[in-house]
Amino acid sequence: MVAVASRQRQVRAVFLAKFVSGRRKGEWLLECPNERPLTAEENPAVHARHAEPGWRFIPTGPVHASLLLTLVQEFYAIEGIPYDEPAIRRTLEEFWAHPDLGRIELVEVDGEPAGYMILTFCPSLEFHGRFGLVDELYVREGFRGQGLGTAALRRAEAIGRAEGLEALRLEVARTNTRAQ
């Protein structure tokens, strides 16, 4: 694990999974870049439970802009990140115009917006291709502690495999001990 400066704060870079071909055609294995396998606590993508009934991950588009902006504003207020709506709106529009940049998905519980996830696709020489970075993952206060964050990481893993990504990465603020 590597600590790097990001948004003027220390983050802990956690590799969730490196996707490698299994011995049988079509089989996938999760491999940790560390020397030892990660425990379930260190690598939630390995042992994540499946989404519960009533949970939905919804790929977004321009019709979701208003809701996403509200959720981003909530998240940024909690994290102390400056909120620049015109810049965020431009970035959302760029994502929707260029799906090769990544995915933005809403998380719903029983029809209520519970959060969102942004998964970016990045080139990497180290991984010999593209990897996924879970750039933002936000679960609203009233929905925390139910496994939604873990389910979102499982969703990111599924997207990564479908997109042929070589690895999946998450950066967590050192102060966010629940996410570590």
Side-chain angles (χ1 to χ4, degrees), residues 55-60 64 67-75 78 104-118 136-144 146 148-149 152:
W55 294 7
R56 288 188 343 153
F57 292 89
I58 303 166
T60 64
H64 301 103
L67 175 56
L68 273 170
L69 289 168
T70 298
L71 293 170
V72 169
Q73 188 172 24
E74 289 175 15
F75 177 52
I78 292 167
I104 303 171
E105 295 203 350
L106 288 172
V107 183
E108 269 190 4
V109 174
D110 296 326
E112 294 293 320
Y116 70 96
M117 174 185 66
I118 299 177
E136 294 186 15
L137 175 55
Y138 172 61
V139 177
R140 285 178 147 169
E141 184 68 36
F143 297 96
R144 294 181 188 164
Q146 301 176 31
L148 283 172

Side-chain angles (χ1 to χ4, degrees), residues 26-47:
E27 178 185 17
W28 288 93
L29 300 173
L30 292 175
E31 177 185 282
C32 172
N34 300 8
E35 301 224 354
R36 63 173 177 76
L38 291 179
T39 66
E41 293 78 29
E42 293 170 315
N43 189 352
V46 174
H47 297 285

Side-chain angles (χ1 to χ4, degrees), residues 10 18 21 24 28 30 40 42 44 46 50 77 86 92 98 101 109 124 127-128 137 145 161 168 176 178:
Q10 290 293 316
K18 181 178 178 186
S21 297
R24 292 177 290 184
W28 288 93
L30 292 175
E42 293 170 315
V46 174
H50 296 286
L92 291 173
H98 304 283
L101 295 177
V109 174
S124 171
F127 292 121
H128 305 238
L137 175 55
R161 286 195 172 124
L168 186 60
N176 188 351
R178 284 186 74 184

Side-chain angles (χ1 to χ4, degrees), residues 155-174:
R155 175 71 179 149
E157 180 184 344
I159 293 168
R161 286 195 172 124
E163 289 292 327
L165 302 181
E166 300 297 327
L168 186 60
R169 179 181 167 140
L170 170 69
E171 295 178 351
V172 178
R174 289 195 177 276

